[in-house]
Amino acid sequence: METHPKGTHARLLLSSVFGPYAQDDEFGSRSINPMELYHNQVTRAQGSFSLRMFHRSWGIMMIQANISAPCTVLDFPTREGFARELTHNHYDIVGISSIIVNVSKVTEMCRMVRELSPHSTIVIGGHATAIPGIENMIDADHIVRGEGIAWMRRYLGADEHAPIRHPAIVSGLNTRIMGLRLPERKGGTAATIIPSVGCPMGCNFCTTSAFFGGKGKFVNFYESGDELFDVMCQLESQLKVQSFFVMDENFLLHRPRAMRLLERMKEAGKSWELSVFASANAIRKYTMQELVELGVTWLWMGLESPKSNYSKLHGADTRQLTRELREHGIRVQGSTIIGLEHHTPENIQAEIEYAIAHQTDFHQFMLYTPVPGTPLYKEMAEQGRMLEGIDLADVHGQFKFNFRHAAISRDDSKRFLDWAFWRDFERNGPSLYRMTETMLQGWKRYKEYPDPRVRERFAREMTKVRTGYNAALWAMERQFRKVNRSMSEQIHLLRQEVNREFGIAARVTSRLLGPVLLWTTRREEKRLAAGKTYEPPTIIDRTNWASA
């Protein structure tokens, strides 16, 4: 591979694709597919109770932190803002990161670079590079598949094996729920830490696994619990956080690393909170006490049908596991695929009911989708089952099938998906209510636990429960009275439980703040009914710029 002529003196612009994102436009944006992970894929049927936030483009942030060249990260630009950055600054390299649905925006951005900054070398990365024939769709000089830090270091003539420096990443921004935007104080939002990329499980539909090499393949940035602990201490100091969103597709699968991290946390008295991803079989390698002492407070777990053949579920009673996790104060985010090969119009309702019966705190539903680059896509293409004329902007698992299913039509796929979200909300209520229930269960079990780190963490969580969360319960109880009396009564019982546990302070807070939240909730419902959408702010970060 040739290096750039200017090496580490080259000036870089690393950009995500331009917005807006939550509206239909000529460049492939879709109102059904906003730049909000939770609202898009998890809580989308929950109306004003939907958890809404934006997440930065962590990949280009990681690359920026690991090169010495002058570099600008341009996140969530407008089309005009991207053009302005190209014309107001000289860039030797322009890198664009994109997922598959936004490939039309990549095409336009490449055209803009050729016009406005013709001397720049164009580098394309991200999942969009998995599209067959991408080289013929866009005008780029380099297409980078897989892990990008090592590639960019090689291209700049730097040491690709140098230790990974982790940037200070706040996990979410512009968080909204019940019509309110939550304050963004330092330490109030978890830090994101990325121990590895890829997933060794290799589910046939998984774009992440396929993108980083497939089944059994992953790239560890931090091999040991000691390395991970040191990075977390660094982020704790920089961002003043005690909670971490661990962006690792199956964090608990690497038990020696996790257990060494726990040892270091105990030695240092760290009362940290960890939000992690893990498969059911990996979770069962730990006792509940180990998970609690490790600080696992939120866990994303695949809950595919028991009739599926995915190894991550083998031998696992996921309903019992979910119940047990929640009883120990661990919020569970379930993830279920709609439209697996064995699904039919006759059995899919029962399959959805089975998933909903897990009573997770959050539940993601996604259509079985052959995404370019995955084994499933290759299989469907070889069988001649891929539908023609489907815009890549609609291949995201939240709309309709892009292949011929054996028993379910394309239009019915959307109907079943929408029903799954609606049914989960109807039966289990708002995720904020479920979270409160889980947190209270954990507090009751562990408030007198021998490990002071654990007691401290649950006490910290209860500050939220007896104040803002209890006020939210007051508002939810009243909002549901006319539309779902049973759910209103369940919320009432939980609120009474909180009041008994925390006394007059909890009662007073709910009475004072509850009416305010009820008003903002109803105001938000009206806004959403009128078509209100949300967009992330443009963010510009420059590093090594003084030397430029």
Side-chain angles (χ1 to χ4, degrees):
M1 171 182 171
E2 294 184 3
T3 59
H4 191 277
K6 293 187 178 181
T8 55
H9 296 290
R11 292 164 56 111
L12 280 79
L13 171 63
L14 301 177
S15 182
S16 58
V17 296
F18 61 81
Y21 311 99
Q23 58 184 264
D24 298 330
D25 71 11
E26 61 182 304
F27 298 110
S29 284
R30 296 288 188 267
S31 58
I32 198 175
N33 192 34
M35 190 69 77
E36 299 170 277
L37 174 64
Y38 273 93
H39 178 67
N40 186 359
Q41 299 182 11
V42 183
T43 57
R44 60 189 264 189
Q46 297 189 22
S48 59
F49 300 110
S50 180
L51 179 59
R52 310 184 71 138
M53 69 177 75
F54 302 104
H55 301 285
R56 292 287 306 277
S57 300
W58 298 333
I60 55 179
M61 293 177 72
M62 288 287 287
I63 293 173
Q64 182 187 42
N66 284 279
I67 58 176
S68 60
C71 181
T72 297
V73 161
L74 181 60
D75 218 354
F76 313 125
T78 62
R79 188 163 171 266
E80 295 73 22
F82 180 66
R84 187 164 52 249
E85 191 65 32
L86 290 174
T87 55
H88 286 197
N89 291 287
H90 175 95
Y91 289 107
D92 301 297
I93 302 167
V94 176
I96 302 167
S97 178
S98 173
I99 57 176
I100 289 171
V101 296
N102 289 320
V103 67
S104 292
K105 292 190 173 185
V106 176
T107 302
E108 172 63 7
M109 292 172 80
C110 288
R111 186 199 66 77
M112 293 171 68
V113 175
R114 295 299 191 214
E115 176 185 335
L116 301 175
S117 184
H119 57 275
S120 299
T121 298
I122 301 176
V123 180
I124 304 301
H127 289 277
T129 63
I131 300 171
I134 184 69
E135 297 85 354
N136 302 317
M137 298 171 63
I138 59 176
D139 182 11
D141 299 294
H142 299 282
I143 293 175
V144 181
R145 296 178 175 88
E147 196 275 296
I149 297 173
W151 188 96
M152 189 59 76
R153 283 173 165 176
R154 286 196 303 272
Y155 187 53
L156 296 175
D159 179 9
E160 65 178 283
H161 302 294
I164 297 295
R165 296 184 294 273
H166 203 292
I169 304 175
V170 176
S171 63
L173 65 153
N174 288 18
T175 303
R176 298 182 64 87
I177 193 166
M178 297 179 73
L180 285 180
R181 178 172 162 182
L182 303 187
E184 294 184 358
R185 58 180 179 82
K186 196 157 192 175
T189 305
T192 292
I193 183 165
I194 307 174
S196 73
V197 290
C199 180
M201 300 307 293
C203 296
N204 66 340
F205 55 79
C206 180
T207 58
T208 301
S209 175
F211 188 69
F212 292 101
K215 188 176 181 65
K217 303 289 183 63
F218 57 95
V219 178
N220 261 347
F221 294 141
Y222 306 108
E223 296 281 352
S224 69
D226 292 298
E227 291 176 286
L228 206 53
F229 178 80
D230 290 342
V231 173
M232 292 169 76
C233 285
Q234 169 200 325
L235 297 178
E236 178 188 44
S237 175
Q238 288 180 271
L239 298 174
K240 309 303 179 188
V241 296
Q242 291 178 290
S243 57
F244 298 87
F245 180 81
V246 185
M247 189 61 233
D248 185 301
E249 290 292 327
N250 207 332
F251 178 72
L252 296 180
L253 194 63
H254 308 287
R255 180 176 166 85
R257 182 177 66 182
M259 294 307 291
R260 178 56 182 160
L261 174 62
L262 174 55
E263 289 178 19
R264 294 294 303 275
M265 288 171 61
K266 284 184 173 181
E267 290 169 2
K270 297 297 186 183
S271 179
W272 288 340
E273 304 166 28
L274 274 64
S275 299
V276 306
F277 296 74
S279 55
N281 59 5
I283 297 166
R284 279 305 187 194
K285 294 180 179 180
Y286 302 78
T287 65
M288 288 295 145
Q289 284 68 37
E290 285 173 335
L291 293 175
V292 168
E293 291 182 359
L294 185 58
V296 175
T297 59
W298 180 96
L299 200 155
W300 188 308
M301 175 172 59
L303 297 175
E304 275 71 66
S305 164
K307 296 179 182 177
S308 68
N309 59 358
Y310 295 112
S311 60
K312 62 185 178 180
L313 299 175
H314 285 174
D317 182 342
T318 51
R319 282 190 291 190
Q320 178 186 342
L321 177 58
T322 299
R323 182 169 57 253
E324 193 176 352
L325 288 165
R326 294 190 71 203
E327 288 172 351
H328 287 263
I330 299 173
R331 278 92 78 189
V332 179
Q333 158 81 67
S335 181
T336 297
I337 303 297
I338 303 295
L340 293 169
E341 293 281 37
H342 71 275
H343 284 162
T344 68
E346 292 73 33
N347 68 22
I348 196 167
Q349 182 173 328
E351 293 264 310
I352 292 171
E353 292 285 7
Y354 171 82
I356 291 168
H358 284 78
Q359 294 182 298
T360 57
D361 298 270
F362 296 89
H363 211 124
Q364 175 194 48
F365 295 96
M366 295 283 286
L367 287 177
Y368 195 50
T369 303
V371 175
T374 62
L376 180 60
Y377 181 90
K378 183 175 184 292
E379 177 187 343
M380 292 295 125
E382 290 174 349
Q383 294 177 11
R385 294 172 60 186
M386 296 303 301
L387 295 174
E388 296 182 1
I390 303 299
D391 194 319
L392 287 170
D394 296 317
V395 182
H396 48 72
Q398 290 295 329
F399 183 46
K400 297 179 179 180
F401 283 153
N402 64 330
F403 75 109
R404 283 194 297 276
H405 191 278
I408 298 173
S409 71
R410 186 165 188 261
D411 287 341
D412 279 349
S413 69
K414 183 180 187 305
R415 182 169 62 85
F416 290 131
L417 179 68
D418 291 346
W419 186 79
F421 281 109
W422 173 84
R423 179 61 173 151
D424 177 59
F425 185 44
E426 179 194 47
R427 178 167 172 177
N428 295 321
S431 287
L432 183 57
Y433 152 69
R434 306 180 216 177
M435 285 173 54
T436 306
E437 182 180 49
T438 299
M439 294 163 75
L440 186 62
Q441 288 185 84
W443 160 256
K444 287 184 171 183
R445 185 180 290 266
Y446 289 100
K447 61 184 176 180
E448 298 178 358
Y449 194 68
D451 188 337
R453 302 177 311 108
V454 174
R455 296 198 305 270
E456 178 187 337
R457 176 166 63 79
F458 277 102
R460 197 162 61 233
E461 290 184 347
M462 286 308 102
T463 301
K464 302 174 187 176
V465 167
R466 67 173 179 261
T467 55
Y469 285 27
N470 200 36
L473 292 177
W474 189 96
M476 283 187 268
E477 177 186 335
R478 282 150 182 80
Q479 182 73 350
F480 275 85
R481 277 179 180 169
K482 292 183 178 180
V483 295
N484 190 334
R485 187 77 185 185
S486 173
M487 180 53 58
S488 177
E489 291 171 357
Q490 291 178 55
I491 295 170
H492 172 76
L493 292 175
L494 178 60
R495 188 170 64 82
Q496 293 298 100
E497 196 175 352
V498 172
N499 289 340
R500 284 193 299 271
E501 189 70 25
F502 299 107
I504 190 168
R507 292 187 178 90
V508 170
T509 302
S510 67
R511 295 284 181 178
L512 290 176
L513 295 182
V516 175
L517 290 177
L518 181 60
W519 180 80
T520 60
T521 295
R522 290 174 174 171
R523 181 187 62 179
E524 182 74 353
E525 291 288 356
K526 293 177 181 177
R527 288 175 172 174
L528 296 175
K532 174 68 176 176
T533 59
Y534 294 99
E535 298 284 348
T538 297
I539 298 172
I540 303 176
D541 294 321
R542 303 190 197 275
T543 53
N544 306 312
W545 207 248
S547 62

